[in-house]
Amino acid sequence: MSTSVGLVFFIGAIGLCVIGITGIVLSRHLFRMVLALAIAEAGANLLLILAGYRWDAVAPIFTGTAGGQAMVDPVPQAMVLTAIVIGVGVQALALSLVIRIKERYGTLDMQEARQCMQDDLDDAGGVTPSRSRERPAGERPIPAPTVLNSTGGQHD
Amino acid sequence: MRNLATLLFLGGLVFLLAAITGTLPFGHPPMLVGQAIQQAAKPEVGAANVVTAVVLGYRGLDTLGELAILFAAATAGGLVLGGVQAKGRNNALPAAGFVLRAGTDVLFPLLLIAGLYVVIHGHLTPGGGFQGGVILAAAFFLPLLARPSESLSHIWLSVIEGLAGTAFIALGLGALYNGDAFLTPLFDKGMFGELVSSGSLPLLYLAVGLKVGAELSSLLMRLAHDDGAAS
Amino acid sequence: MTDVSLAAVLPLLGAFVLPLTRHGILRPLGPVIGPILLAACALILFAAWSAYDVPYAVALGSFAPPMGITFYIDDLALLFALAVPLTTLVLWPGESDPAATGRQSLTLLLAGSLTGLALSGDLFNVYVFYELAAVASYGLVVGDGRSPAYVAAFRYLMISALGSVVGLIGIAIIYFKTGTLNLADLSTLSGELADPQGMAAFAMLVIGFGVKAEAFPVNGWVPEVYGAVGKRVAALLAGLASKLAVLVIVRILILVFPHDETRQLLLVLGILGVAVGELAAWQARDIPRMLAWSSIGQLGVVFVAFSLPGKAGVIAGVTVAMHHLVVKSALFLLADRWDRAIESLKGAASTSRIGAALFVLFSLSLLGLPPLPGFWSKFLVLGGLAASASPLQLLAMGTILAGTVIEGAYLLRVVVTFYARPDAAVRVPGQRAGNLLGAGLFALVLLTAAVMINPLWQGLEVLAERAVDTNGYQHTVLGDREAGR
C-alpha cells in the first residue's frame, strides 16, 4: 500500500511543479504566468510537506486522548505555512503589476509589453533603436481610458 | 513546432524532477530536528499545537520575516496601485444584488468570530494567526463586494498593520530586556492545554492575525478599487 | 553586550513604524527614523566587531541550536553585515514626495533582510530573508512609477519567483535527506549530501539564490531593471543585494557542499557570466545598461573567485565582491544624472569636473590599474587560478583576461566621450551634490583600501581562515553534541 500511495503524492507534487514551471517559462500571457506561478508554488509546498510525512502518524498536536502516538514532523508544516504566505504576497504584487502594465501599455502579452518597455528605455536614454519599430518614435500606445472590467479576474 | 517544444520541455522536466526526487525516503523521514522538537516542545514552549511552537517559538524569526514580506508586498502594491485615486477614476460600481448584500450582513459577524477564534486558539488547535487572519480579511472584504462604494479606511488599516508588527517585535525585544536572546517566549508557561498558556505565544499570534488580516484586506482593497471603483 | 540580532530586526521595526508617521503628530519623525535606525544598526555591528574575539553563535529564542534558528557571527558575516547599513545610508532615498514613505519602508526592509542574510545560519531562514529582500526590491523597482519599470519588475518577479520555487524544491530535497535545516547540522551531515541528489539540490539552490546574485542562467532581468529604475535603487541592488546573495551561496558551498563538482558548477557559471556580461556591456549604448551588463560580468568574476578551493578562494572572493560593491554602487550613483546614451554625454567633464574624475577613478579600479584595489582583487583571482591550473581554470583565466580587455574598451570609450569637446547642441546635466557626496565617500573607501593594503591583507587572512573552518563552525553552533555523528 505504502509505495502506491506515496507514488500518488509524488506524482502530484512533481506534476504541479512541472505544470507551473512550464507555464511560467512558455506562456506569454501575463495573467496565465501568475496562475502558473501559483501552481508551481503549490507543487513545491506539497513536496515540502511530504518531506515530513510519516506513515501511521498523527498531526503534531498534543491532545488529551492520544498518548504516545507517533506524530509527523512539525517543521516542514511550519515552513510550508511560511512559504504559502510568501507566495500569497508575491502573487498579489504580481497581479497589481499586471493591472498596471495593462493600463500603461494596453497589452497582456509578454512579448509586446517587453517591446514597449525596450522602446521606452531606448527613448529615455536617447539611444537610436537598432531595429525598425512598428510605431513611430514618441507615439506610445496611449492606454485607452476605459474601465478595466473586461480584463476581469482580479476578484478571484 | 511550438507544441513539440512544449512537449519536449515538459518531458525533460518531468524526467529530471522524477529522477532527482524518485528515491527520496518518503514516509520515513530522518526527523533529526523534528523528533527533538516534539520531545522538547511541551516543556520548553508549552503549546499543545507543536506546529505553533515551531512557527512562533523555534522558528519565530521566520515568522517575523514572513510578516515583513507580507508588509513589503502590501507596501509595494500600494506604490503600484496607489496613484489611482489621484487620477480621479471615481466611477463607483453599482451595489451588488440582494442575496449578496443580505448574505454579507449575516456572514460578517460570523466570520469575525470564527477568525478571532482561530487566531486565539492557535496554540491549542489547528489554525493560528495566519489562518485566522485570512478569515478576518475575508470578513472585511465581503462588504466590499456587496457595497463597492463604501470602503475601509486606509489609515486605520495601516495603523493596525504598523502597531501589530511593532507589537510582535516588541514582544521579541522584551526577552532581550530579560537577558535572553531575541524572540525568547515570555511569561509563565501556564497550564498545558489551557487557553491562557504557553507564555507569550497567544499574544504573538494575535499580533500576527491582526497584521495578516489588515494587510490582506488592504491588498484586496487596492486590487478591488483598481477594478474601477476608487473611493 | 548588545545583541547582534538587533541589527537585522531594527530595520524591520522601523519599516513597520514608518507608515504610522504619515499622519498626525508623528509626522516630523518620518524622514529621520530610517537613517537613525540604520546608523544604530551600524553602531551595533561596530560594537559587536570591536568586542568580537572568536566566532560565536546566537540562538534566537534561546532554543538549543539544531532546533531553533541560529545567527553565526564571524569576520565574514560581520564584514558583509556592516556593509549593509553603511551602504544603505549612503544610498538612502531621502525624497519627500507622497510615495517616499513607501520607498523608505521598503529600503529598510531590504536592509534588514540583507543583514539577516549575512548573519543567518539556517537554510530556511536564509530563504525567508532572501524572499523578503526580493519582494522589497520589486517594490523599490516600481517605486517611482515609470512605465517601463512595471514590465521590468514583472519580469524580475517572475524570474525570481521561478528561482524561489526551484530553490524551495532544493530545500525540500535537503530536508528529505537530512531532516535538518541548520547549516552547522547540515555541515556534519555533508557526507549524506555528496551523491547526485545532493548535487542537484545544490544546483537548485544556486538557481534560486542566484537570481539576485545575477548568476548566469537567471540574470535576464538585470539590464532591464537597472535601465528602468532610479539609479540609487540600481546601486543598492547591483552593489549590495547581489553580494549578500553571493555570500549565502558561498556559505552553503563551504559548509554543506565542499566538493569539487559544486566548485566546478560555480566556476562554469562564473565563466559564462563573465563572457556574456562583458560582451553585452560592450554592445550596450547607454550608460545604465552598460553598467548592468558589466555588473553581470563582475559577478561572474566573483563566482570564479569563490570557486577556488580553500582560503585562497575566500580571500579572492571577498576582495572582488567588496571591491565591486564599492565601485558599482558609486558608478550607478554617478549614472543617476547621466543615465542616457553614451554619445549624448560628450563633454560631460566640462559640466561636472568632479563627477567625470570620479567616474575615471572607479573605471580604472574596475579595470585593475595597479595601485588601486581593483588590481589586487583581479591579481588574487588570476593568481589563484594559475596556482591550480586545471583546463577549466585556465579557460576561466583566459575569459577574465579577455573580459578585462573588453571592459577596458567600453569604459575608456565612455571616458573619452566625457573628455571630448562639448557638443553645443546637447546639454549634459550636471551632477547632483548628494550623489557626488556619496560617490566621494565610496572613492574615499577605495583610496583608503589602496593605502592600507597591509593591515587589510592580515585581516582577510584571519577572516578566510575562520570562514573555511567548518569544524569550528559546527563546534561553535552545536557545542559538543555533534561529536559522534
Side-chain angles (χ1 to χ4, degrees):
Chain A
M1 159 209 126
S2 68
T3 41
S4 62
V5 177
L7 209 61
V8 170
F9 287 133
F10 260 118
I11 291 171
I14 293 173
L16 285 174
C17 286
V18 168
I19 294 170
I21 293 175
T22 313
I24 296 174
V25 175
L26 295 177
S27 176
R28 286 172 47 170
H29 191 280
L30 297 181
F31 187 64
R32 282 187 203 158
M33 288 172 82
V34 178
L35 289 184
L37 173 63
I39 295 174
E41 273 170 357
N45 289 341
L46 185 53
L47 194 67
L48 204 54
I49 275 283
L50 290 181
Y53 188 72
R54 275 168 93 184
W55 293 115
D56 306 323
V58 297
I61 297 174
F62 289 109
T63 49
T65 52
Q69 216 179 342
M71 293 195 284
V72 299
D73 194 341
V75 179
Q77 305 206 354
M79 292 197 292
V80 167
L81 191 57
T82 311
I84 289 174
V85 176
I86 294 172
V88 168
V90 171
Q91 285 156 25
L93 186 55
L95 273 185
S96 56
L97 284 173
V98 171
I99 294 175
R100 221 8 134 234
I101 292 171
K102 168 75 181 169
E103 194 186 87
R104 291 288 169 93
Y105 289 129
T107 179
L108 282 175
D109 185 283
M110 193 72 218
Q111 305 283 331
E112 282 177 34
R114 270 191 88 184
Q115 194 65 53
C116 294
M117 172 188 67
Q118 294 290 358
D119 292 350
D120 265 1
L121 286 183
D122 285 345
D123 283 355
V127 180
T128 39
S130 45
R131 62 202 147 55
S132 68
R133 291 187 200 171
E134 52 276 70
R135 289 178 305 278
E139 216 176 310
R140 288 277 81 52
I142 311 279
T146 47
V147 183
L148 290 177
N149 279 340
S150 53
T151 55
Q154 286 92 347
H155 274 304
D156 298 340
Chain B
M1 196 59 217
R2 193 175 150 77
N3 285 341
L4 192 68
T6 312
L7 211 62
L8 271 178
F9 184 84
L10 260 174
L13 206 61
V14 168
F15 180 76
L16 195 71
L17 280 178
I20 292 171
T21 55
T23 55
L24 291 174
F26 174 67
H28 314 281
M31 282 189 62
L32 214 62
V33 173
Q35 203 84 54
I37 284 181
Q38 277 179 13
Q39 279 156 13
K42 205 167 170 178
E44 273 189 9
V45 184
N49 184 349
V50 184
V51 177
T52 299
V54 176
V55 166
L56 292 178
Y58 296 99
R59 309 195 69 83
L61 193 66
D62 281 356
T63 306
L64 177 59
E66 185 181 357
L67 287 181
I69 289 175
L70 260 189
F71 178 76
T75 311
L79 283 177
V80 175
L81 299 173
V84 176
Q85 276 92 340
K87 275 191 232 151
R89 283 211 325 220
N90 219 351
N91 39 354
L93 291 173
F98 170 74
V99 176
L100 185 53
R101 273 183 291 136
T104 302
D105 289 342
V106 175
L107 278 177
F108 178 72
L110 294 180
L111 279 174
L112 214 58
I113 292 173
L116 280 175
Y117 179 88
V118 171
V119 170
I120 293 172
H121 288 74
H123 58 299
L124 301 175
T125 56
F130 291 101
Q131 298 86 329
V134 173
I135 299 178
L136 286 180
F140 283 101
F141 188 59
L142 265 185
L144 223 59
L145 285 181
R147 298 180 188 78
S149 51
E150 296 169 19
S151 82
L152 298 166
S153 155
H154 268 296
I155 297 177
W156 274 111
L157 279 180
S158 76
V159 167
I160 295 176
E161 258 177 61
L163 287 182
T166 313
F168 190 98
I169 295 185
L171 281 170
L173 291 179
L176 282 186
Y177 183 73
N178 291 348
D180 291 326
F182 180 67
L183 277 175
T184 308
L186 299 172
F187 312 134
D188 191 38
K189 302 277 182 305
M191 238 331 248
F192 185 76
E194 294 284 308
L195 182 57
V196 182
S197 69
S198 58
S200 56
L201 257 60
L203 290 176
L204 285 177
Y205 243 168
L206 192 62
V208 171
L210 288 178
K211 192 159 171 67
V212 170
E215 245 140 40
L216 282 182
S217 323
S218 77
L219 262 174
L220 285 171
M221 209 163 60
R222 284 189 205 281
L223 286 174
H225 278 183
D226 210 75
D227 207 19
S231 57
Chain C
M1 203 186 78
T2 31
D3 204 317
V4 187
S5 49
L6 277 181
V9 175
L10 280 186
L12 303 186
L13 180 67
F16 292 157
V17 171
L18 209 49
L20 298 179
T21 63
R22 249 191 301 227
H23 318 278
I25 48 163
L26 292 173
R27 193 178 276 247
L29 268 178
V32 294
I33 284 185
I36 288 179
L37 281 177
L38 286 173
C41 290
L43 278 181
I44 289 171
L45 288 165
F46 262 125
W49 203 336
S50 53
Y52 165 86
D53 187 20
V54 286
Y56 59 97
V58 176
L60 289 161
S62 309
F63 295 109
M67 291 193 280
I69 294 171
T70 41
F71 276 1
Y72 183 73
I73 291 102
D74 64 351
D75 306 67
L76 186 62
L78 279 175
L79 177 67
F80 277 82
L82 194 55
V84 175
L86 293 181
T87 315
T88 317
L89 265 179
V90 176
L91 301 172
W92 180 250
E95 301 97 335
S96 53
D97 56 304
T101 325
R103 280 203 298 278
Q104 291 176 351
S105 279
L106 290 169
T107 311
L108 279 174
L109 289 172
L110 186 68
S113 61
L114 293 179
T115 315
L117 280 182
L119 301 175
S120 183
D122 185 282
L123 193 55
F124 194 72
N125 189 237
V126 164
Y127 172 82
V128 171
F129 275 130
Y130 177 84
E131 283 294 308
L132 177 54
V135 175
S137 54
Y138 311 146
L140 286 173
V141 170
V142 295
D144 48 9
R146 307 181 199 186
S147 299
Y150 292 121
V151 184
F154 186 80
R155 288 244 311 154
Y156 178 24
L157 186 147
M158 273 301 154
I159 295 174
S160 193
L162 187 64
S164 302
V165 169
V166 174
L168 203 57
I169 297 175
I171 292 178
I173 292 174
I174 291 179
Y175 195 83
F176 252 118
K177 289 178 73 71
T178 61
T180 181
L181 295 161
N182 190 300
L183 285 184
D185 221 9
L186 284 172
S187 171
T188 63
L189 295 167
S190 68
E192 287 184 28
L193 290 167
D195 55 353
Q197 267 179 346
M199 297 298 135
F202 178 73
M204 286 174 163
L205 289 180
V206 170
I207 290 179
F209 295 128
V211 176
K212 279 193 96 55
E214 303 171 16
F216 167 67
V218 278
N219 52 17
W221 57 274
V222 174
E224 302 164 5
V225 166
Y226 295 172
V229 301
K231 298 302 164 283
R232 282 176 163 255
V233 175
L236 209 53
L237 294 182
L240 193 60
S242 60
K243 302 304 169 303
L244 272 303
V246 171
L247 176 68
V248 166
I249 295 178
V250 169
R251 278 269 197 232
I252 296 172
L253 173 78
I254 292 177
L255 288 170
V256 190
F257 295 97
H259 314 299
D260 284 343
E261 292 88 347
T262 48
R263 288 185 199 290
Q264 261 165 22
L265 177 69
L266 279 201
L267 187 62
V268 171
L269 290 183
I271 295 174
L272 288 169
V274 174
V276 172
E278 299 295 3
L279 283 174
W282 187 46
Q283 294 256 313
R285 290 178 308 160
D286 55 336
I287 300 261
R289 275 182 278 185
M290 183 195 87
L291 290 178
W293 283 113
S294 126
S295 132
I296 290 180
Q298 293 293 323
L299 278 153
V301 180
V302 175
F303 275 109
V304 171
F306 274 119
S307 77
L308 293 169
K311 259 173 64 177
V314 176
I315 294 181
V318 170
T319 327
V320 184
M322 280 297 160
H323 174 252
H324 185 245
L325 195 170
V326 170
V327 169
K328 201 42 67 82
S329 305
L331 283 176
F332 267 118
L333 262 184
L334 291 173
D336 191 23
R337 296 302 295 274
W338 293 346
D339 56 343
R340 49 185 67 199
I342 295 168
E343 65 255 36
S344 72
L345 286 172
K346 243 185 203 168
S350 59
T351 351
S352 170
R353 206 170 289 280
I354 308 173
L358 284 171
F359 198 97
V360 172
L361 173 74
F362 291 120
S363 301
L364 289 180
S365 187
L366 202 57
L367 277 176
L369 197 74
L372 294 168
F375 166 74
W376 294 109
S377 69
K378 272 200 176 138
F379 178 78
L380 283 169
V381 179
L382 293 175
L385 286 172
S388 34
S390 71
L392 207 55
Q393 283 168 327
L394 289 179
L395 178 67
M397 246 174 103
T399 317
I400 291 179
L401 285 174
T404 308
V405 174
I406 302 174
E407 215 169 55
Y410 64 73
L411 285 174
L412 289 183
R413 190 176 58 190
V414 175
V415 169
V416 167
T417 318
F418 279 0
Y419 285 94
R421 209 138 49 82
D423 202 338
V426 193
R427 234 191 69 72
V428 180
Q431 287 287 352
R432 223 177 260 148
N435 291 342
L436 276 185
L437 184 69
L441 283 174
F442 283 122
L444 202 65
V445 172
L446 198 69
L447 294 176
T448 319
V451 177
M452 310 230 310
I453 280 291
N454 228 10
L456 278 180
W457 176 257
Q458 283 159 6
L460 272 174
E461 285 265 342
V462 179
L463 179 151
E465 182 99 40
R466 285 172 175 164
V468 297
D469 181 12
T470 46
N471 277 329
Y473 192 113
Q474 294 164 11
H475 210 78
T476 311
V477 175
L478 298 175
D480 297 327
R481 267 170 308 143
E482 108 275 27
R485 275 227 192 95

